[in-house]
Amino acid sequence: MKHFLRVVTQFFVFLYCKCLWRSLKFVIRKFTGRCELQRICYNNKHGARRTLKIESSLRYSKNQLLQSALSVPPDKVEKTVEDIMTLKKINPDTNPQLGISLQGSLLQIAGYRNLVAEVEKFRREAYDCENVKHEEMLMKWCEIGFQGNDPKTDFRGMGLLGLLNLLYFAEHDKATALQMLNDSLQPKRNDVINDEQKNLDKTIGFSFAIVGINITDLAYSLLVGGALKTHLYNVAPEMASLQHFQQTFCYLMQEFHGFWIEEDPSDIMEFNRVRSKFHRKILRQLKNLDMALCPHFTASDLHMVNV
């Protein structure tokens, strides 16, 4: 019975998407005099609310030009916007804001796609002890948490990306990174005598660098899974860059530090449980289309690590 109800539900959803919704869009356009893209651009402020709706509208369009707009390179965006307005028979002189809004959203979409590719490139680049630049970066971290004799064993699938993020964190927010490093070296004491002392004796004790690599993995999964679109579309006016991703990593490191202390795990063996709970918390935040995880970062804060 449950299977039958599920099949019926899926059928009606399919019917709605394929027939009723297209018919409804036609009626709304005749009534308002505006196509769906116009309504989205005029009724939603710049950022995730607008760009995510434009992305969905283009993806589910029957028109090949509109579908392909999601994959155009940044230097083709302006021409694509002109083609879309011609297709929709929209006069750019009487609708100048539409072209500007649509171009901004398409640049955000292209920027996110390029960022995923760039991050993936660094993730796949393995640490190479024969590479002088790799060795120079690693030397800055030789005393803060890499545990194995061979540092490659500590990168845990994140390749050079983990090291780049840690280096960026230290250079971008040195005071916070040093405080977190100092806290991470403090073991849990068992001589708790009162509530005030208990507050000071929360569990810290973890490898700072290894946690950084794990948080890099978390940030990477949010990016590749699309959850970070909400944040990046809200903080990057046009194209998101690697710097935006690294800023997000810094924010996640700071937040995880506080979250770990509040969770007060008994030992490091609870790390996966705490990490999973923290991951779910961030995902819930990103469901808010107005969310910007680290709105205090500005363009003047960017300090790109040379690779």
Side-chain angles (χ1 to χ4, degrees), residues 193-258:
I193 57 177
N194 55 50
D195 290 341
E196 181 178 355
Q197 184 67 28
K198 183 178 180 180
N199 193 47
L200 297 175
D201 289 336
K202 294 277 190 177
T203 299
I204 303 292
F206 52 68
S207 167
F208 177 52
I210 297 301
V211 167
I213 293 168
N214 272 275
I215 297 302
T216 293
D217 178 66
L218 189 152
Y220 169 79
S221 67
L222 291 173
L223 177 73
V224 173
L228 270 188
K229 286 181 179 181
T230 302
H231 162 66
L232 292 175
Y233 288 166
N234 283 330
V235 299
E238 291 188 347
M239 295 181 64
S241 66
L242 182 63
Q243 295 153 308
H244 289 104
F245 178 77
Q246 292 177 312
Q247 289 174 346
T248 304
F249 167 79
C250 293
Y251 170 84
L252 292 173
M253 283 288 283
Q254 296 170 25
E255 289 296 300
F256 182 80
H257 179 217

Side-chain angles (χ1 to χ4, degrees), residues 92-306:
D93 295 327
T94 57
N95 296 272
Q97 188 57 44
L98 175 63
I100 295 173
S101 299
L102 191 55
Q103 181 170 325
S105 290
L106 288 180
L107 284 173
Q108 286 190 318
I109 293 169
Y112 194 94
R113 185 178 64 250
N114 289 350
L115 177 58
V116 171
E118 185 176 12
V119 166
E120 182 64 23
K121 181 190 73 172
F122 285 121
R123 188 188 74 84
R124 289 178 177 272
E125 185 175 352
Y127 172 80
D128 180 6
C129 61
E130 301 297 325
N131 188 306
V132 176
K133 290 183 178 180
H134 291 191
E135 282 290 286
E136 289 176 350
M137 287 188 287
L138 184 63
M139 286 300 294
K140 298 181 181 181
W141 295 96
C142 61
E143 297 180 355
I144 64 170
F146 284 100
Q147 297 173 333
N149 294 326
D150 183 355
K152 293 193 296 293
T153 63
D154 284 330
F155 291 133
R156 302 191 181 189
M158 286 295 104
L160 197 61
L161 183 65
L163 183 56
L164 283 173
N165 277 350
L166 284 166
L167 193 56
Y168 181 90
F169 185 32
E171 294 187 351
H172 176 76
D173 196 351
K174 185 175 181 179
T176 302
L178 287 175
Q179 181 62 55
M180 186 174 175
L181 171 61
N182 181 66
D183 288 347
S184 73
L185 297 175
Q186 304 303 315
K188 183 180 178 71
R189 296 196 300 271
N190 295 319
D191 55 340
V192 180
I193 57 177
N194 55 50
D195 290 341
E196 181 178 355
Q197 184 67 28
K198 183 178 180 180
N199 193 47
L200 297 175
D201 289 336
K202 294 277 190 177
T203 299
I204 303 292
F206 52 68
S207 167
F208 177 52
I210 297 301
V211 167
I213 293 168
N214 272 275
I215 297 302
T216 293
D217 178 66
L218 189 152
Y220 169 79
S221 67
L222 291 173
L223 177 73
V224 173
L228 270 188
K229 286 181 179 181
T230 302
H231 162 66
L232 292 175
Y233 288 166
N234 283 330
V235 299
E238 291 188 347
M239 295 181 64
S241 66
L242 182 63
Q243 295 153 308
H244 289 104
F245 178 77
Q246 292 177 312
Q247 289 174 346
T248 304
F249 167 79
C250 293
Y251 170 84
L252 292 173
M253 283 288 283
Q254 296 170 25
E255 289 296 300
F256 182 80
H257 179 217
F259 190 79
W260 176 269
I261 294 173
E262 287 304 311
E263 283 293 302
D264 193 22
S266 58
D267 55 43
I268 194 63
M269 298 304 292
E270 290 195 69
F271 179 81
N272 286 338
R273 176 189 67 80
V274 177
R275 181 190 183 279
S276 295
K277 188 173 180 180
F278 179 71
H279 189 182
R280 292 193 297 272
K281 173 189 173 184
I282 297 300
L283 285 174
R284 286 195 299 271
Q285 291 178 339
L286 290 171
K287 288 182 179 180
N288 176 3
L289 295 184
D290 296 318
M291 173 58 66
L293 292 177
C294 36
H296 57 284
F297 285 117
T298 63
S300 61
D301 294 323
L302 302 180
H303 302 288
M304 181 61 185
V305 176
N306 292 321

Side-chain angles (χ1 to χ4, degrees), residues 1-12:
M1 184 63 179
K2 289 183 179 180
H3 176 71
F4 174 75
L5 291 175
R6 184 162 57 249
V7 171
V8 171
T9 301
Q10 291 174 345
F11 171 75
F12 280 108

